[in-house]
Structure formats: structure tokens, C-alpha cells
Amino acid sequence: MADLGSALPTGSTALSAEDRAGLVNALKDKLQHLAGQQSGFLDSLSPAVKNRVSALQEFQSKHDELEAKFFEERAALEAKYQKLYEPLYTKRFEIVNGITDVESKDEPGNNTSTDENREEEKGVPEFWLTAMKTNEVLSVQITDRDEGALKYLKDIKWCRIDNPKGFKIDFYFDTNPFFKNSVLTKTYHMIDDNEPILERAIGTEIDWYPGKNLTQKLMKKKPKKGAKNAKPVTKTEQCESFFNFFSPPQVPDDDEELDEETAENLQDLMEQDYDIGSTIRDKIIPHAVSWFTGEACQLDELEDVDEEDDEDEEDGDEDEDEDEEDEDDEDEEEEEEDVKPRKKGSIVQRSGPAGEQPPECKQQ
């Protein structure tokens, strides 16, 4: 078979032969590891079956080589189209931030504004804030206090990183009264670049102006009655904020043991963090204007409705099966009641094949 790498688009970031070999070997190592775990089972097979399994493993090896090429070509294709998207993202940035304007589609003299002295708005105010608030995953992360800072968000970009594998998201901010950073970055390091297996995430340390930290709140506690110090005690506590996104949960060192509950909580936090990042990467950035207008939200709702309909149909099938079981059980109970008392050792013949079981519920 010809090398697919030679047919890749010019300028794409294809894997080198060494990287491709490494990926194939990694897939083989996974299979060998699994095979080692099942060695006891394989030893119990007959020689003829073992021979067939060995042939299947050879086919699997060929499949893995093709899969490695698929990952390679997919990465190259993504890189190609990311470059094609870039000019469109640049024009979007310029329009949103008032750098360039577009010709008005309104007819001359059809201006409905009543305040002629009002300064004309530039760009699209609160574009990214509105787009993010429209998304269900992100809206619950954004507090009223966050909105003041997110109004200064000018652009969001993402790109893949190679060493280590993963991706990063850059948030570009205009000068604002909340923090000094002009760019806030969130980086995800993946164990497997082709599967969403998160190793760890790293966020920019935000350089907040005094008293402007949106991830903290000041709590004043009244002193107890009779206390010598009558002044209220001020305490700083962490609070909910979208900007906690840049302080992701940290995976402890390998030598640090975690109890089961702590490990599950950490896993949940990491999954939630990745869900936010992947939502921004896969939905908000490529379809920002659709989220701004609400069109994307409507499409999401339609998809949810379709999924719910499918689930309802499955539930309906299960309910029908349960009703049939109940009817069968009732019939059997009535038959038992009709049977006359019998002598010891006698056998009652029931209708239907001996040992017949009621139909099982379908588990989808």
C-alpha cells in the first residue's frame, strides 16, 4: 500500500516516519499489555482456536497500522483547515472590535435611532460574553460579577501543541480595571492526543488589581459579645467565578496516596474542567456568531429533543416488555389458583413449555 503521508496536503503538519512508527508501537504495546492480562484465558484454549486467534491478532496489527495513518491524515487535515479558517477569524476579530466596518444594509433615511447625538457604537459590544452566556455549559460558570470583566474580552483562539501533546486556548482582553494580563491562557496536556484522556491542565496566573479579584470575596464577621476587640474580623474566601477556570484542579504526585472519595471528587472536577475547555474550543470559537444570536442554542435544543425522543422510545419498549411480564405473572397466578389440591409426590402440569421463563427486559 502506498504511503498516505505522500498524499497529504502541502504545508500540513504530517507525522514523521519515526512518529508514525512510535504510534504504531504504542498501539501494539497496548494490545500486548491486554494480551498479557488474558494470558491465562488464552492458555486454556485449544491449539486450533489459538491458531485462529493468532491470525486475528495479525489482522488487528494491520488495522492498527491503518489507524495510525488515519490519525496522521486527520491531524494534517485539521491543520490544513485551521489555516483556511484563520483569515475568517481575523475578519471576525476586526468587525467585533470595530477595527473595520461593513456596509450598512439599511436603506438611506431608514435610521430608527431617536438620539442623533449619541456616539455611534463600534464593533459588536459584549460579543464574546453574550456568546458564552448563551451556551448551557458556560452560562452556569459566569457570575454577575464576572460579566464586568468579560465585557473586555476581545477574542478567543485555540491551537494544538505537540510537546507535550494537547491544546491551548488563549483569551485576549482589552485594558480593563480588573487585571493586568492582556492574554489569559489555558493549556491541556493529554495522555493520548487522539482520545480525550486528560493528564493535567495549566492556567495563567491572573495578576489582579487590588480589591478586584473576582475569585475571592471578603467576609466580615462580627465579634462575639463581650470580646475585647470590637472590630469586625475580615476574612477572604474563595467564591464561584468563571475565572477559576484558570486555576484548574491539580493532580497530586504519584507518591501521594488519595482515598477513594477524594480521587472521585478530583476526577469529577477534571472532567468538568475539560468539558468547559472543549466546549469553548469545539463550539464557541468556530460558531461564535451563532451563539451570539442564539441560533446555535436552538440547534442544541433540537438535538437534545431528538435524543430525548430516542430515549422515550426505548423506555416505551421496556415498559411494554414489563407489562407483558406482569400479564404473564397474573395468568400464572390464576392457573395456580385453579389447580385442585394434590397428593404428595404428584406433579402439576402448567401450560406452556416446561421451565419457560418470562421475557427479559431489553437493556439498551
Side-chain angles (χ1 to χ4, degrees), residues 23-308:
L23 183 54
V24 173
N25 290 334
L27 292 168
K28 287 181 178 179
D29 289 342
K30 287 183 180 179
L31 290 173
Q32 289 172 358
H33 175 67
L34 292 173
Q37 292 178 335
Q38 300 295 328
S39 59
F41 168 72
L42 293 176
D43 291 340
S44 67
L45 301 176
S46 66
V49 174
K50 277 186 182 179
N51 188 48
R52 295 171 192 136
V53 172
S54 178
L56 293 175
Q57 288 176 323
E58 291 180 8
F59 293 138
Q60 184 65 50
S61 179
K62 293 179 180 179
H63 173 279
D64 295 340
E65 291 178 4
L66 290 174
E67 189 174 39
K69 291 182 179 181
F70 162 71
F71 288 143
E72 172 192 0
E73 189 168 358
R74 185 179 69 176
L77 196 61
E78 286 180 353
K80 171 190 173 181
Y81 277 90
Q82 279 299 117
K83 290 182 179 179
L84 295 175
Y85 296 148
E86 199 57 41
L88 302 177
Y89 292 155
T90 299
K91 288 188 177 297
R92 179 177 69 187
F93 171 82
E94 293 174 349
I95 293 173
V96 166
N97 293 284
I99 298 173
T100 61
D101 209 345
V102 295
E103 294 183 5
S104 176
K105 294 183 178 180
D106 294 336
E107 295 181 4
N110 194 27
N111 188 358
T112 59
S113 175
T114 57
D115 187 1
E116 296 179 355
N117 297 324
R118 187 187 64 172
E119 184 179 351
E120 186 179 354
E121 290 179 324
K122 291 184 177 180
V124 184
E126 302 179 18
F127 177 79
W128 290 103
L129 169 60
T130 304
M132 292 168 65
K133 283 178 61 181
T134 307
N135 180 271
E136 185 178 10
V137 173
L138 302 181
S139 62
V140 296
Q141 305 296 325
I142 299 173
T143 67
D144 292 341
R145 298 172 70 217
D146 293 332
E147 293 187 19
L150 290 173
K151 289 177 181 179
Y152 292 90
L153 183 56
K154 299 193 301 181
D155 201 7
I156 311 176
K157 295 182 178 182
W158 81 276
C159 66
R160 290 194 180 276
I161 55 175
D162 292 325
N163 191 18
K165 293 288 186 180
F167 65 94
K168 71 169 185 170
I169 307 173
D170 292 322
F171 297 75
Y172 295 85
F173 284 86
D174 204 349
T175 303
N176 65 83
F178 294 91
F179 46 81
K180 299 177 182 178
N181 313 68
S182 59
V183 182
L184 299 180
T185 300
K186 183 66 172 286
T187 305
Y188 289 93
H189 293 170
M190 313 302 292
I191 294 176
D192 188 338
D193 191 38
N194 298 304
E195 296 179 15
I197 304 175
L198 178 64
E199 180 180 15
R200 65 189 179 116
I202 303 171
T204 297
E205 182 177 353
I206 303 177
D207 190 5
W208 298 99
Y209 286 115
K212 296 293 186 178
N213 191 336
L214 297 173
T215 66
Q216 296 178 350
K217 60 181 178 180
L218 292 177
M219 303 294 292
K220 289 186 178 181
K221 188 176 181 181
K222 293 182 179 180
K224 295 180 180 179
K225 290 183 178 180
K228 293 181 180 179
N229 187 2
K231 294 182 179 180
V233 178
T234 302
K235 185 179 179 182
T236 302
E237 292 184 355
Q238 293 297 118
C239 64
E240 293 184 356
S241 170
F242 171 79
F243 291 93
N244 286 323
F245 177 66
F246 299 98
S247 300
Q250 296 301 310
V251 180
D253 296 332
D254 294 338
D255 55 355
E256 186 176 341
E257 295 184 0
L258 296 176
D259 58 68
E260 185 176 351
E261 183 178 356
T262 303
E264 287 181 357
N265 290 337
L266 178 60
Q267 179 70 19
D268 290 342
L269 289 173
M270 291 181 67
E271 288 179 358
Q272 181 185 23
D273 180 76
Y274 181 81
D275 191 26
I276 296 170
S278 60
T279 297
I280 294 171
R281 178 193 66 180
D282 299 334
K283 293 189 175 183
I284 302 300
I285 294 177
H287 308 292
V289 70
S290 297
W291 288 103
F292 178 84
T293 61
E295 294 171 286
C297 185
Q298 295 172 4
L299 291 174
D300 257 20
E301 289 175 354
L302 288 174
E303 290 177 1
D304 291 340
V305 169
D306 290 340
E307 291 176 1
E308 289 175 3

